Amino acid sequence: MKCSESLQKSLFDILIINLVTIVVFSIYWKTLNNPIIFDDLEAYDRWITYSISSLPSLFNNVVFGLKRTLSIETFVWIHSLSDKIEYQRIFNVSIHVFNSILVYWFINNLFNNKKTAIFVFCFYALNPLAIHSVAYLVQRCILLATFFALIQINLFWHSLKARSTLTSCLLFILSLSAFVIGKSCKEQIAPMIAAYPLITILFGRFNKRAIVYNSIALLAVGSLIVFLFHNFKFDF
């Protein structure tokens, strides 16, 4: 009986997510072939000719670069498949949908309340203010930074809940990696380091694992910031 109820709830969640996804794409559908204007016009022509020559170079730029490397690279990759602007815009809309789903996942874990999670998911996905980052191509950096920030906090939450120490450590490492990758999309993601102590407080588990994870996160990011300040022109 419980299994049947759980399956029904899961199917309902999937139905809601699919319906909202359809609505989101319907909202932005007529904007997909809009002409490139304002900052997009200058940036797009410059970015599609930009490319990292090798995977090691890409890795170095993602970890240590300050020029939103990963965000710019996505323009190159998509343009290499097709030069139609519609595909660039579809990518932006898709990332917005994925971000909405990650918001749902986090809120559901945080409050253990599907109704609240669905409400927040719908509000986030259909919020008209999102058009700034979704329809404005150069703001893809915001979408991608948000994407990795949401992955970061979701993985950290599950690292605190994991019963296995190994699983917990792997989830924490992936969470910290998502933060670093997010930084390569938009440097203003740096304050998300504060998510670690905040989630620990919300989770209510001040055990050795949580203390170690928070210490490692602060030390690792602090060291990276010091390195960047000493070796690059770093401007928030």
Side-chain angles (χ1 to χ4, degrees):
M1 189 68 177
K2 288 183 178 180
C3 182
S4 178
E5 290 179 1
S6 176
L7 180 61
Q8 287 180 353
K9 289 180 179 179
S10 297
L11 290 174
F12 178 74
D13 291 349
I14 293 170
L15 177 63
I16 292 294
I17 288 172
N18 278 287
L19 284 174
V20 172
T21 299
I22 292 170
V23 172
V24 168
F25 271 95
S26 299
I27 291 171
Y28 290 102
W29 190 257
K30 289 187 177 181
T31 72
L32 296 181
N33 60 355
N34 279 358
I36 302 174
I37 57 173
F38 302 132
D39 292 351
D40 282 352
L41 192 59
E42 179 186 352
Y44 184 70
D45 288 339
R46 185 173 73 251
W47 286 352
I48 59 175
T49 60
Y50 171 91
S51 183
I52 299 296
S53 58
S54 64
L55 286 177
S57 297
L58 178 60
F59 175 81
N60 287 333
N61 276 270
V62 166
V63 176
F64 301 112
L66 300 172
K67 300 183 184 298
R68 305 177 184 180
T69 304
L70 191 60
S71 178
I72 296 172
E73 276 292 311
T74 60
F75 284 95
V76 180
W77 296 333
I78 295 171
H79 185 76
S80 68
L81 298 174
S82 174
D83 59 358
K84 291 184 178 179
I85 197 65
E86 290 93 327
Y87 292 103
Q88 300 284 357
R89 297 193 186 281
I90 287 172
F91 184 80
N92 274 28
V93 178
S94 300
I95 293 296
H96 177 61
V97 170
F98 282 124
N99 287 347
S100 304
I101 294 170
L102 288 168
V103 166
Y104 166 79
W105 186 26
F106 182 68
I107 295 298
N108 190 42
N109 287 326
L110 185 62
F111 296 105
N112 195 25
N113 187 316
K114 287 189 179 294
K115 289 183 179 179
T116 301
I118 288 173
F119 172 78
V120 175
F121 163 69
C122 293
F123 180 82
Y124 184 91
L126 304 174
N127 187 343
L129 293 178
I131 194 171
H132 172 69
S133 57
V134 178
Y136 198 20
L137 285 178
V138 296
Q139 297 303 329
R140 179 177 298 174
C141 55
I142 294 177
L143 290 171
L144 287 172
T146 303
F147 175 73
F148 287 108
L150 287 166
I151 290 176
Q152 171 202 348
I153 60 177
N154 273 293
L155 289 175
F156 182 61
W157 179 270
H158 284 282
S159 75
L160 295 177
K161 289 179 65 178
R163 294 181 180 180
S164 165
T165 302
L166 178 60
T167 302
S168 177
C169 289
L170 287 173
L171 288 170
F172 172 69
I173 291 170
L174 289 172
S175 171
L176 203 56
S177 299
F179 171 82
V180 173
I181 296 171
K183 180 197 68 66
S184 76
C185 298
K186 192 171 177 68
E187 58 275 14
Q188 280 84 350
I189 196 179
M192 279 302 296
I193 194 64
Y196 290 108
L198 286 173
I199 291 174
T200 303
I201 293 169
L202 289 171
F203 193 68
R205 283 192 182 179
F206 294 93
N207 52 21
K208 290 181 180 179
R209 180 189 292 178
I211 293 170
V212 169
Y213 287 168
N214 277 275
S215 300
I216 291 173
L218 291 171
L219 180 63
V221 176
S223 300
L224 181 60
I225 290 173
V226 169
F227 173 81
L228 293 173
F229 268 113
H230 279 281
N231 291 276
F232 300 95
K233 291 181 179 179
F234 192 69
D235 182 17
F236 281 101

